[in-house]
Amino acid sequence: MQYRSIGFALLPSLLVSALAGCTSVPLQPANSLTSYDGLTKVDGRIRKAEYKAVPEDLNVSKTVYIEPTLVSPTAAQSSIKPADQALVATVVSRALCIGVSDRFAVTDNRENADLIVHATVTRIVPTNATAAGLSTVASIGASFASSSVPVPRIPLGLGGLAVEAEATTRDGKQAGAMVWSKGANFVTTGARMSQIGDAYSLAESFGNDFSKMLVTGKTPFKFGFPKLPSYQKLKSGLGGKPKYQACERFGRAPGLKDFAGSQLGLPPSWTDKPVRPQSQ
């Protein structure tokens, strides 16, 4: 009881410390958007973004085609293995496809889609796998010791991710765009022993942000209580069949298998595999 009380007392301090113990990743445009004009800026400590949504175009659209996410030449020049870069890109595509399925019908026919979505990974900040491993050992050790005191990560070698994406109408008009970056923090981002440990987790975060903007036609960055995910999103996130067959081209989420692996700090490549679908 004494340790539990200490743990609860430390929570506010840990949350405040999380703002300091994080990676700040600058926005990194890759010139993959048709336009960067008219973007609204969001400048946070952990997440930075510039975005634009055109409700009148998004609201009348019913079908969407998701192009496979690309990795920019700049991001590809890093020391991260091509297979790991491809895995991060796969997670972005998968998250986008599942996210937009809340309102749009996802099609595998590009020519007949009302919206065409494409994304580009512009930067992957590598995670220090050694530091992540030490954090995992400390966390598992605390669990065996039956301690209720939360054990944060070692705030060294945290990774990050930068992505940009846009949705264009059938006639090429930009209906939505976003330049986005986010760094891991040592309290809420679990440690995984891989150079893409943090980028893998953040890839889904980007997919959720961008797809939410397309679905609602509004900013996805408002503060408030998070809403429960839809049934289709929950099912797909657990590794079930996605709502639309077109999303199968990005593979299914590893679900509980990956959750178990993340608790042990295992590399994402042990529980998930990249998919390289051919765009049509």
Side-chain angles (χ1 to χ4, degrees), residues 124-182:
I124 298 175
V125 179
T127 301
N128 186 307
T130 301
L134 293 174
S135 295
T136 300
V137 170
S139 178
I140 294 176
S143 298
F144 277 116
S146 299
S147 172
S148 298
V149 180
V151 179
R153 287 176 63 174
I154 298 172
L156 297 174
L158 302 177
L161 182 70
V163 191
E164 65 180 19
E166 74 175 346
T168 55
T169 61
R170 197 175 301 180
D171 58 0
K173 180 182 177 183
Q174 188 182 74
M178 184 179 292
V179 183
W180 181 100
S181 69
K182 191 174 183 180

Side-chain angles (χ1 to χ4, degrees), residues 38-244:
L39 301 180
T40 300
K41 187 175 182 180
V42 177
D43 193 3
R45 171 65 181 175
I46 298 175
R47 176 175 52 196
K48 303 178 187 299
E50 294 180 357
Y51 71 94
K52 178 174 71 174
V54 185
E56 54 267 31
D57 291 325
L58 295 174
N59 293 340
V60 298
S61 299
K62 296 181 179 180
T63 58
V64 62
Y65 175 81
I66 308 292
E67 292 187 346
T69 298
L70 302 177
V71 179
S72 73
T74 302
Q77 290 174 2
S78 68
S79 60
I80 298 173
K81 295 184 295 184
D84 283 343
Q85 295 177 22
L87 181 53
V88 173
T90 294
V91 176
V92 172
S93 298
R94 185 188 298 154
L96 287 172
C97 204
I98 293 173
V100 299
S101 296
D102 274 345
R103 189 173 83 80
F104 302 99
V106 184
T107 177
D108 56 9
N109 191 322
R110 190 180 193 277
E111 286 70 25
N112 294 334
D114 296 325
L115 291 175
I116 299 169
V117 173
H118 68 86
T120 302
V121 175
T122 59
R123 186 178 183 187
I124 298 175
V125 179
T127 301
N128 186 307
T130 301
L134 293 174
S135 295
T136 300
V137 170
S139 178
I140 294 176
S143 298
F144 277 116
S146 299
S147 172
S148 298
V149 180
V151 179
R153 287 176 63 174
I154 298 172
L156 297 174
L158 302 177
L161 182 70
V163 191
E164 65 180 19
E166 74 175 346
T168 55
T169 61
R170 197 175 301 180
D171 58 0
K173 180 182 177 183
Q174 188 182 74
M178 184 179 292
V179 183
W180 181 100
S181 69
K182 191 174 183 180
N185 72 80
F186 79 110
V187 173
T188 63
T189 311
R192 303 188 70 161
M193 294 175 282
S194 166
Q195 283 191 309
I196 61 163
D198 294 319
Y200 179 85
S201 300
L202 297 171
E204 184 173 0
S205 179
F206 168 77
N208 290 337
D209 282 346
F210 189 69
S211 61
K212 182 179 179 181
M213 184 186 73
L214 298 184
V215 167
T216 63
K218 302 176 182 178
T219 175
F221 304 118
K222 284 188 177 181
F223 290 101
F225 291 105
K227 294 183 178 179
L228 292 175
S230 63
Y231 173 75
Q232 73 87 16
K233 184 177 289 187
L234 182 62
K235 178 184 175 183
S236 298
L238 292 174
K241 183 179 180 179
K243 183 177 180 180
Y244 295 105

